[in-house]
């Protein structure tokens, strides 16, 4: 019994099959990438504008004239941070914005807009206001 090699070619060669498969893959990839890009750009374009205003505030206790302040008062800064976002200050800030700038902002809304972050190992606080109304943010941070 002898085994022979079958030299007959199949109807489709492997080279033609790879070319059609490659074109289909490229087409699917291109359509998918274009769709994802379009949806991402559309989502980004439809986002509302968010404005930000910030200021850095130095919080420190008074020291004697001849005494130098060497260490950061972390506990004092944390207390001041809590105080700045407290209800008494946000109420008075709301009243001041209403009187001076005709901006009707609720004290609860002010707490949402304002953020106070302690700068590590310093006596500095970073006051940040974020919102969709750019005209009230700078006076809000300054007040």
């Amino acid at each position: 019994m002898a085994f022979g090699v079958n030299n007959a070619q199949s109807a489709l060669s492997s080279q033609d099959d790879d070319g059609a498969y490659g074109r289909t893959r490229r087409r699917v990839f291109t359509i998918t990438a274009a769709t994802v890009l379009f949806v991402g750009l559309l989502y980004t374009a439809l986002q509302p504008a968010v404005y930000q205003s910030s200021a850095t505030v130095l919080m420190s206790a008074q020291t004697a004239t001849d005494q130098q302040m060497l260490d950061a008062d972390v506990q004092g800064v944390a207390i001041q941070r809590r105080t700045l976002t407290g209800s008494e200050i946000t109420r008075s800030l709301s009243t001041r914005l209403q009187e001076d700038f005709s901006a009707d902002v609720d004290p609860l809304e002010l707490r949402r807009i304002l953020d106070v972050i302690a700068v590590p190992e310093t006596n500095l606080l970073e006051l940040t206001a974020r919102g969709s109304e750019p005209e009230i943010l700078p006076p809000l941070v300054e007040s």
Side-chain angles (χ1 to χ4, degrees):
M1 183 168 194
F3 292 102
V5 178
N6 187 2
N7 290 333
Q9 287 188 341
S10 63
L12 292 173
S13 71
S14 64
Q15 188 176 27
D16 291 337
D17 191 32
D18 287 343
Y21 181 68
R23 282 192 299 273
T24 303
R25 285 182 62 194
R26 278 190 296 260
R27 187 177 303 131
V28 168
F29 175 78
T30 303
I31 291 170
T32 304
T35 303
V36 169
L37 179 65
F38 177 73
V39 169
L41 287 173
L42 185 65
Y43 177 76
T44 302
L46 294 176
Q47 292 296 311
V50 176
Y51 301 96
Q52 177 176 323
S53 185
S54 64
T56 304
V57 180
L58 175 63
M59 296 295 196
S60 62
Q62 285 186 336
T63 58
T65 307
D66 59 343
Q67 183 182 7
Q68 255 186 343
M69 189 169 179
L70 299 175
D71 295 331
D73 184 13
V74 177
Q75 187 176 17
V77 170
I79 292 169
Q80 292 298 326
R81 177 177 180 240
R82 197 83 158 139
T83 303
L84 285 173
T85 56
S87 61
E88 184 178 324
I89 289 184
T90 53
R91 270 189 263 128
S92 66
L93 184 58
S94 175
T95 305
R96 184 166 181 191
L97 287 173
Q98 176 67 35
E99 293 171 356
D100 296 346
F101 301 101
S102 300
D104 188 25
V105 184
D106 186 50
L108 292 176
E109 181 72 11
L110 284 176
R111 284 188 180 176
R112 189 189 63 77
I113 291 173
L114 283 174
D115 190 22
V116 181
I117 300 169
V119 178
E121 299 181 20
T122 65
N123 289 335
L124 297 173
L125 290 175
E126 175 111 19
L127 287 143
T128 306
R130 286 190 184 126
S132 58
E133 300 174 23
E135 54 278 347
I136 69 162
L137 297 179
L140 176 66
V141 171
E142 289 175 15
S143 298

